[in-house]
Amino acid sequence: MKSTHIEHIGIAVANLDDAIRYWENVMGLKCYAIEEVADQKVKTAFFQVGDVKIELLESTDPEGPIGKFVEKKGSGVHHIAFAVENVDRALQEAAEKGVQLIDQKSRKGAEGLNIGFLHPKSTLGVLTEFCSK
Ligand code: ZN
């Protein structure tokens, strides 16, 4: 498995509108897409910074993964997404190296990407996402 670049950085927020305002007014970026991902119980907002995207995540359900994260830790960096050629193969290779997976197989994420997560217990505390087109 070799990642070609960081695709996006996922940031959990308590309130998407407030967060968009911050990223637009203070960081001078333009939100180019807002998308709800029902599967993950989140509403996302995207910004492009050079080759990397910022993905803001607001929970649509307190019991969802982002809802629990914000409840425990507050807003903040949630995950880093690495672009790989094939998510299923990258997950399998990580598992063969003893890494605990959250997703055994890829699934559809925001922007129609194939995504899969590694467990932060196995990645030195960094919730790691693989993604591919
Ligand atoms: Zn992500």
Side-chain angles (χ1 to χ4, degrees):
M1 196 283 294
K2 188 172 171 296
S3 173
T4 51
H5 59 282
I6 290 177
E7 213 279 337
H8 64 267
I9 297 170
I11 298 174
V13 302
N15 182 295
L16 199 59
D17 293 334
D18 289 349
I20 289 171
R21 217 169 297 126
Y22 166 79
W23 283 89
E24 290 195 334
N25 292 343
V26 179
M27 300 303 287
L29 301 171
K30 182 93 195 88
C31 174
Y32 71 85
I34 292 178
E35 184 185 348
E36 185 162 342
V37 185
D39 178 47
Q40 287 164 69
K41 301 185 167 79
V42 290
K43 207 160 110 186
T44 62
F46 283 93
F47 300 82
Q48 188 81 43
V49 193
D51 291 337
V52 179
K53 295 170 198 160
I54 300 293
E55 176 187 45
L56 302 181
L57 302 142
E58 179 195 65
S59 185
T60 55
D61 179 342
E63 291 307 307
I66 295 297
K68 285 185 188 158
F69 179 91
V70 170
E71 162 89 34
K72 236 198 271 173
K73 301 184 181 175
S75 298
V77 173
H78 180 257
H79 65 271
I80 299 178
F82 294 88
V84 296
E85 210 170 279
N86 181 301
V87 173
D88 285 306
R89 210 179 314 132
L91 288 171
Q92 191 189 331
E93 281 178 33
E96 282 164 7
K97 290 176 181 165
V99 172
Q100 191 185 331
L101 306 180
I102 290 176
D103 298 304
Q104 304 302 317
K105 289 181 75 173
S106 64
R107 55 193 163 94
K108 282 284 174 209
E111 302 199 301
L113 296 177
N114 296 313
I115 65 163
F117 282 92
L118 306 182
H119 200 288
K121 270 184 195 155
S122 294
T123 58
L124 307 175
V126 179
L127 178 56
T128 301
E129 176 182 348
F130 291 146
C131 59
S132 73
K133 291 204 168 113

